[in-house]
């Protein structure tokens, strides 16, 4: 499944969520499969994402699969309701504000 999503800190936890005001309640863990393809131009941004800078948002265009959890609020995942396992990262954009205009 192709998704465009925002990866940011929400309520003290990092989560991937929809880039759509109608779907703000979907907050999922962002996982990258070991065999995932990452655009070479964006590899440095993955390292930045690992640092989890709270003053930036990352817009991620990726292909992968969703898995929704049966119970919401598991202590290991905070308030996230599932996970998105990325098989291919097409583009990562770093923005300073959620309201900043996207490149696409």
């Amino acid at each position: 499944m192709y998704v465009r999503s925002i990866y940011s800190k929400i309520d003290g936890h990092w989560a991937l969520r929809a880039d759509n005001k109608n779907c703000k309640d979907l907050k999922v863990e962002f996982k990258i499969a070991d065999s995932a393809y990452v655009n070479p131009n964006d590899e440095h941004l993955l390292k930045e994402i690992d640092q989890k800078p709270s003053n930036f948002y990352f817009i991620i265009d990726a292909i992968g699969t969703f898995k929704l959890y049966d119970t919401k609020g598991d202590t290991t995942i905070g308030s996230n309701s599932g996970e998105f396992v990325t098989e291919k990262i097409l583009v990562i954009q770093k923005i300073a504000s959620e309201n900043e205009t996207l490149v696409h």
Side-chain angles (χ1 to χ4, degrees), residues 4 45 57-59 61 91-95 102-104:
R4 166 173 275 186
L45 288 173
Y57 295 86
F58 296 91
I59 304 298
D61 289 70
V91 177
I92 301 173
Q93 300 171 62
K94 177 180 166 183
I95 58 174
L102 300 179
V103 172
H104 297 301

Side-chain angles (χ1 to χ4, degrees), residues 38-48 92:
V38 178
N39 183 330
N41 295 329
D42 293 333
E43 286 180 356
H44 69 284
L45 288 173
L46 275 183
K47 291 177 185 170
E48 253 187 87
I92 301 173

Side-chain angles (χ1 to χ4, degrees), residues 13-16 27-30 69 71-74 77-82:
H13 298 280
W14 277 80
L16 196 66
K27 299 173 191 159
V28 297
E29 291 288 306
F30 175 55
Y69 299 138
T71 58
K72 195 173 179 182
D74 182 305
I77 59 165
S79 63
N80 293 342
S81 58

Side-chain angles (χ1 to χ4, degrees), residues 55-72:
N55 54 336
F56 286 100
Y57 295 86
F58 296 91
I59 304 298
I60 300 173
D61 289 70
I63 296 171
T65 56
F66 274 106
K67 176 184 174 187
L68 295 179
Y69 299 138
D70 289 335
T71 58
K72 195 173 179 182

Side-chain angles (χ1 to χ4, degrees), residues 80-92:
N80 293 342
S81 58
E83 65 187 25
F84 180 75
V85 180
T86 303
E87 299 296 330
K88 185 174 186 177
I89 296 177
L90 305 170
V91 177
I92 301 173

